[in-house]
Amino acid sequence: MPQQAAVQIRHLTKAIGKKTIVDDLSFDIPEGEVFGFLGPNGAGKTTTIRMMVGLITKTRGKVFVYGTDVDKDFRAAMNRVGAIVENPELYKFLTGYQNLKHFARMSTGVGEERIREVVKLVGLEQRIHDKVKTYSLGMRQRLGLAQALLRKPDVLILDEPTNGLDPAGIRELRDHLRTLAKRDGVAVIVSSHLLSEMELMCDRVAIIQSGKLVDVRTIRNGLGADEDTEQTTEIQVDDGEAAVAVIRADHAGVSAQLQESAVVVSVTRDKVPEIVRSLVVAGIKIYAVNSVNKSLEDTFLEITGGGSIGV
Ligand SMILES: Nc1ncnc2c1ncn2[C@@H]1O[C@H](COP(=O)(O)OP(=O)(O)OP(=O)(O)O)[C@@H](O)[C@H]1O
Ligand SMILES: [Mg+2]
């Protein structure tokens, strides 16, 4: 079943002076997907997002939100979009609640109840009546997210949303974004320079380097890699040596190695159940099977040269 593209980006380009900061980006983001922009500092993630939401002009290219050309009907398109771009715009001398109230007044159909709902969602109940100037960075991020969610957007765009959040906050955000996508069909676009974070959060990731789209990767269940790519899989067993012997005997050509209490094999996805089955048949107890995805990391590091800042 084809999913409707919530956002379409075509040949999006930004040049400042002689420098092309964002260079001919094209891709579609369907509804219900968490899509990541992944790239090192200076790759052009924020610039791309700023163009998408009309904060800066495009040099070239088009952005469509559910088929509406952002240049032709900006209001209609942006009505469906909630966004936080870098530092959310907040009034520091008002309380969190007053900020949300102010924002709600500018939108139709957002009442007290919805405000309470989003405050709860982002976990700010305790501090919502304090002035924003007393908030920590993570609290400001949470308030920004609450603001972006107020109007129940169909498209949610968040630039570095985990910036400043503590581990519990990152996890909550991740769960929350995934729920919004999977339950409500929201198209969620997030940016980050952290691969590990994107792997856990996203369905697909666009790798951006020096303004160019290098690759779009599908990440399955946070495990990554394509069907025919070998993945490192770690199997926790009660008897590692016996397990290695079984794998070597039953699966010629598969390399199995013992690492502490786990057997590590490098195989394609479809081989994993076969290996698990032969271990079970041999009476070996299996405590866990973990996929250790190296391929996306390898790609990312290859592309970005180990994290150096793009020029
Ligand atoms: N107004 C501007 N004038 C000149 N250059 C700019 C301007 N805005 C951004 N740039 C340059 O464009 C490039 C991309 O910047 P951008 O902020 O989009 O990167 P980013 O991927 O968001 O990086 P980070 O991970 O650090 O947030 C950088 O080299 C930056 O210096
Ligand atoms: Mg940025």
Side-chain angles (χ1 to χ4, degrees):
M1 192 175 64
Q3 289 165 296
Q4 178 169 18
V7 178
Q8 291 170 293
I9 291 176
R10 294 289 177 271
H11 307 294
L12 193 59
T13 302
K14 180 74 182 181
I16 296 184
K18 283 186 186 149
K19 219 168 124 193
T20 305
I21 295 169
V22 173
D23 195 354
D24 199 32
L25 296 187
S26 296
F27 40 80
D28 285 5
I29 299 143
E31 61 183 35
E33 181 171 270
V34 182
F35 186 87
F37 291 160
L38 174 66
N41 294 140
K45 305 177 295 292
T46 301
T47 308
T48 302
I49 290 176
R50 284 174 164 262
M51 282 194 281
M52 287 171 70
V53 298
L55 283 172
I56 54 170
T57 57
K58 303 188 270 300
T59 302
R60 226 182 354 268
K62 288 270 172 209
V63 175
F64 301 90
V65 175
Y66 279 97
T68 302
D69 183 339
V70 169
D71 294 327
K72 296 215 169 108
D73 197 343
F74 183 75
R75 262 188 92 90
M78 285 308 129
N79 261 336
R80 307 188 72 163
V81 176
I84 315 180
V85 186
E86 267 164 11
N87 299 316
E89 284 161 45
L90 301 165
Y91 297 99
K92 286 196 297 200
F93 294 98
L94 299 180
T95 66
Y97 190 83
Q98 287 166 333
N99 265 278
L100 292 178
K101 199 79 204 193
H102 172 75
F103 199 72
R105 271 197 291 269
M106 300 189 296
S107 334
T108 41
V110 181
E112 297 275 337
E113 188 154 341
R114 179 64 185 157
I115 297 182
R116 268 197 300 276
E117 220 171 82
V118 292
V119 169
K120 190 154 181 270
L121 268 177
V122 301
L124 264 186
E125 296 107 308
Q126 306 290 327
R127 299 292 304 270
I128 198 67
H129 294 293
D130 293 348
K131 289 203 167 120
V132 168
K133 66 174 182 173
T134 70
Y135 281 11
S136 68
L137 175 61
M139 290 174 200
R140 283 175 208 204
Q141 284 285 55
R142 285 167 191 250
L143 186 60
L145 179 64
Q147 187 171 301
L149 289 172
L150 266 184
R151 284 191 291 182
K152 297 195 177 168
D154 296 319
V155 176
L156 185 61
I157 305 177
L158 308 173
D159 190 18
E160 308 266 359
T162 58
N163 198 6
L165 294 183
D166 53 29
I170 292 175
R171 196 192 173 124
E172 277 167 35
L173 175 75
R174 183 165 77 219
D175 292 347
H176 185 56
L177 295 183
R178 292 207 62 82
T179 306
L180 279 175
K182 302 304 153 193
R183 188 194 61 199
D184 305 337
V186 176
V188 181
I189 300 165
V190 289
S191 77
S192 174
H193 56 276
L194 295 174
L195 168 75
S196 52
E197 206 168 273
M198 296 301 253
E199 278 190 301
L200 290 171
M201 201 181 277
C202 301
D203 297 307
R204 275 194 310 152
V205 168
I207 302 176
I208 299 170
Q209 164 81 341
S210 306
K212 291 191 177 64
L213 180 66
V214 182
D215 200 2
V216 179
R217 287 264 173 151
T218 300
I219 299 173
R220 270 187 218 96
N221 308 319
L223 302 179
D226 304 320
E227 288 293 328
D228 52 0
T229 313
E230 285 200 345
Q231 288 186 50
T232 305
T233 303
E234 211 181 68
I235 310 170
Q236 303 275 351
V237 292
D238 61 341
D239 185 344
E241 277 171 27
V244 169
V246 169
I247 295 168
R248 285 186 184 153
D250 289 4
H251 304 275
V254 171
S255 92
Q257 267 149 18
L258 195 58
Q259 272 178 20
E260 290 165 24
S261 65
V263 178
V264 177
V265 291
S266 198
V267 289
T268 53
R269 203 175 147 77
D270 60 339
K271 267 259 176 216
V272 176
E274 293 172 25
I275 289 174
V276 169
R277 194 176 309 124
S278 35
L279 293 176
V280 171
V281 168
I284 290 165
K285 286 187 182 143
I286 295 171
Y287 298 114
V289 180
N290 301 313
S291 180
V292 188
N293 177 33
K294 286 275 186 277
S295 66
L296 184 58
E297 184 174 35
D298 289 346
T299 311
F300 184 58
L301 290 178
E302 246 166 56
I303 291 163
T304 62
S308 66
I309 294 183
V311 283

